[in-house]
C-alpha cells in the first residue's frame, strides 16, 4: 500500500473519531436539556413505600437487591417488597402484586423488556418508576442520562432522585393472516422490517459474550435483501406507498455505543420521529452509516425522517416487528401513537445525596 493511501486512511479515521466524539457530547447535552433537566422536581416524600420488580437471573441482581434493602433501612423506611420475574412471566403479574401494595415508587431491575412491562403498568398513574439497569441495551436508562455501569448511583437515583414526566408510545400489532392482535407500550425505539430481523437473528451466545456489539454481526449478515412495499399514513394524512427495508418509530434516539441515532427525537416533545430506511445496496447502507455517525444534516433520499403523533403502516405480506430491542411478532398493520407525559421517572439530581431530597415534607400514603 502506498504511503499516501495509508495517510488518507489515518486522516479519515481521525476525522471520524473526532466528529463522533464531539457529536455525542453536543447531542447528549441537547437530550439532557429536554429529557432530564428543566421540569424535574423533588418527590416531596419524607417516607416512601418501595416495591421492586427484579429479574433474578441478571448478573448483578443480588447485589442490587442488597443495595436497595440497605438504602431503605438507612433512610428509616419500611422494608422494600421484592417481586421476581420468571421465564414464563416477565413482570405482568408481579406488577399487579406490586401495585396492590400501594407503593410510592416501583424500582425495576432488569433489561429493556422488564422495563417496558413495568412502564406499561405505571403509565397514566402517579407512581414513579426508578431504573436499575441490569440488561444489555438499557435503552431508557441511557436516554435519561443514567450511568448504566454505576449500580450504586442508580439505586440512589431511583430512591432519592428527582422525578419528571416523559412520553411513552403504544404500538398495536395486527396480523390479518393469523388473526393475531396485541398492543404494547414502548419507550425508546420500535420498528418493522430489517431491524426486527436482525434482533431475531442475533446469536445469543455472542450477545452474552460481547453485549450489544453482537447486533452488528447479525446486521452485516442481513444487509443484502429486497425492499418491501408498505403504505404509510402520518396523523391521518393520505397514505403514501414506499419500498422500505425498515421503518423505525423513535420516542428518543440514544442507543448503545454513545450513538445518537435520531438526534431530533426527544423523550418529552409529544411526537414520534418516524425513520423510513430504503437503501438498495451496500453503498446505500454506507451512506446512511456515514450520515448517522457524522451527524450530517443534509437530506438523504434513502433515509427520510418524519415527525408525527400517530402512524399507520400497512403491509401486503407479514413483516417482523420489534419493541425496544425485543421481537414482537409479525404484522400486516401497525398503528403507533405517542402518549405525552404519561410516565413519571426518577432522574439524577444535580447534586446527588445519600438520602431523601432536602426539603421533603410530604409523608407517603
Amino acid at each position: 500500500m502506498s504511503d499516501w493511501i495509508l495517510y488518507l486512511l489515518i486522516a479519515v479515521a481521525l476525522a471520524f473519531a473526532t466528529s463522533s466524539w464531539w457529536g455525542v457530547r453536543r447531542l447528549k447535552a441537547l437530550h439532557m436539556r429536554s429529557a432530564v433537566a428543566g421540569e424535574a422536581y423533588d418527590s416531596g416524600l419524607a417516607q416512601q413505600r418501595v416495591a421492586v420488580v427484579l429479574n433474578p437471573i441478571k448478573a448483578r441482581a443480588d447485589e442490587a437487591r442488597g443495595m436497595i434493602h440497605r438504602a431503605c433501612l438507612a433512610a428509616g423506611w419500611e422494608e422494600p417488597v421484592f417481586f421476581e420475574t420468571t421465564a414464563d412471566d416477565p413482570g405482568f403479574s408481579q406488577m399487579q402484586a406490586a401495585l396492590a401494595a400501594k407503593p410510592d415508587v416501583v424500582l425495576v431491575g432488569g433489561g429493556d423488556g422488564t422495563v417496558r412491562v413495568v412502564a406499561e403498568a405505571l403509565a397514566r398513574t402517579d407512581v414513579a418508576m426508578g431504573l436499575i439497569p441490569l440488561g444489555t441495551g438499557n435503552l431508557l436508562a441511557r436516554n435519561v442520562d443514567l450511568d448504566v455501569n454505576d449500580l450504586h448511583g442508580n439505586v440512589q437515583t431511583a430512591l432519592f432522585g428527582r422525578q419528571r414526566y416523559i412520553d411513552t408510545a403504544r404500538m398495536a400489532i395486527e396480523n390479518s393472516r393469523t388473526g393475531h392482535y396485541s398492543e404494547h407500550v414502548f419507550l425508546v425505539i420500535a420498528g418493522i422490517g430489517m431491524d426486527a430481523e436482525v434482533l431475531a437473528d442475533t446469536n445469543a451466545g455472542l450477545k452474552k459474550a460481547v453485549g450489544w456489539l453482537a447486533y452488528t454481526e447479525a446486521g452485516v449478515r442481513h444487509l443484502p435483501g429486497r425492499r418491501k412495499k408498505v403504505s404509510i399514513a402520518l396523523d391521518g394524512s393520505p397514505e403514501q406507498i414506499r419500498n422500505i427495508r425498515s421503518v423505525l418509530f423513535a420516542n428518543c434516539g440514544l442507543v448503545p455505543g454513545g450513538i445518537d441515532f435520531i438526534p431530533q427525537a426527544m423523550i418529552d416533545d409529544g411526537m414520534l420521529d418516524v425513520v423510513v430506511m430504503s437503501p438498495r445496496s451496500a453503498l446505500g447502507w454506507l451512506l446512511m452509516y456515514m450520515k448517522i455517525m457524522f451527524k450530517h444534516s443534509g437530506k438523504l433520499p434513502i433515509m427520510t425522517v418524519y415527525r408525527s403523533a400517530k402512524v399507520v403502516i400497512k403491509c401486503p405480506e407479514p413483516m417482523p416487528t420489534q419493541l425496544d430491542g425485543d421481537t414482537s411478532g409479525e404484522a400486516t398493520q401497525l398503528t403507533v401513537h405517542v402518549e405525552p407525559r404519561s410516565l413519571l421517572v426518577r432522574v439524577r439530581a444535580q447534586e446527588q445525596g445519600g438520602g431523601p431530597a432536602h426539603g421533603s415534607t410530604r409523608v407517603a400514603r
Side-chain angles (χ1 to χ4, degrees), residues 67-329:
M67 285 186 182
I68 294 166
H69 190 267
R70 290 191 296 272
C72 290
L73 292 185
W77 301 344
E78 298 176 15
E79 290 192 11
V81 184
F82 290 85
F83 303 89
E84 293 189 352
T85 64
T86 67
D88 296 327
D89 188 342
F92 296 105
S93 63
Q94 292 84 348
M95 271 308 300
Q96 292 179 3
L99 289 176
K102 299 188 181 301
D104 298 291
V105 60
V106 176
L107 275 55
V108 50
D112 295 315
T114 310
V115 171
R116 280 197 308 104
V117 172
V118 172
E120 186 163 347
L122 293 181
R124 303 297 180 189
T125 73
D126 291 325
V127 180
M129 180 171 75
L131 295 166
I132 312 295
L134 301 175
T136 302
N138 302 308
L139 296 176
L140 181 62
R142 296 174 192 275
N143 278 276
V144 294
D145 194 41
L146 296 183
D147 181 349
V148 298
N149 298 310
D150 183 6
L151 180 59
H152 177 267
N154 292 328
V155 169
Q156 293 295 303
T157 294
L159 292 173
F160 310 117
R162 294 167 69 82
Q163 58 192 35
R164 62 155 303 146
Y165 285 98
I166 65 171
D167 300 343
T168 63
R170 182 173 290 272
M171 184 162 79
I173 303 171
E174 302 178 53
N175 188 331
S176 61
R177 302 281 181 88
T178 64
H180 172 80
Y181 176 89
S182 61
E183 287 191 22
H184 308 274
V185 162
F186 68 93
L187 302 165
V188 182
I189 299 177
I192 183 170
M194 178 184 158
D195 57 303
E197 294 173 357
V198 169
L199 290 168
D201 198 27
T202 298
N203 183 281
L206 186 62
K207 182 178 177 182
K208 186 175 182 179
V210 301
W212 61 269
L213 290 173
Y215 299 129
T216 303
E217 184 271 339
V220 170
R221 286 191 283 109
H222 281 266
L223 286 181
R226 66 182 181 89
R227 302 189 302 171
K228 296 181 180 180
K229 183 174 293 186
V230 302
S231 72
I232 304 174
L234 305 170
D235 285 334
S237 62
E239 296 179 352
Q240 53 175 293
I241 305 300
R242 299 290 298 271
N243 291 311
I244 62 99
R245 291 297 306 276
S246 284
V247 180
L248 299 177
F249 317 98
N251 189 36
C252 45
L254 285 173
V255 297
I259 300 169
D260 204 320
F261 180 66
I262 308 168
Q264 61 269 50
M266 297 295 168
I267 204 169
D268 57 3
D269 61 359
M271 299 293 284
L272 294 170
D273 290 78
V274 184
V275 185
V276 180
M277 298 187 293
S278 55
R280 297 172 182 263
S281 63
L283 177 61
W285 287 112
L286 178 62
L287 290 173
M288 285 175 46
Y289 175 81
M290 298 297 288
K291 175 178 171 62
I292 293 166
M293 295 305 298
F294 284 94
K295 313 297 187 295
H296 197 282
S297 59
K299 292 184 178 180
L300 192 62
I302 57 174
M303 181 181 176
T304 51
V305 182
Y306 306 91
R307 289 173 57 77
S308 179
K310 181 179 179 181
V311 189
V312 178
I313 305 281
K314 296 180 181 179
C315 325
E317 58 185 277
M319 294 179 63
T321 66
Q322 62 88 9
L323 297 151
D324 287 346
D326 289 327
T327 56
S328 48

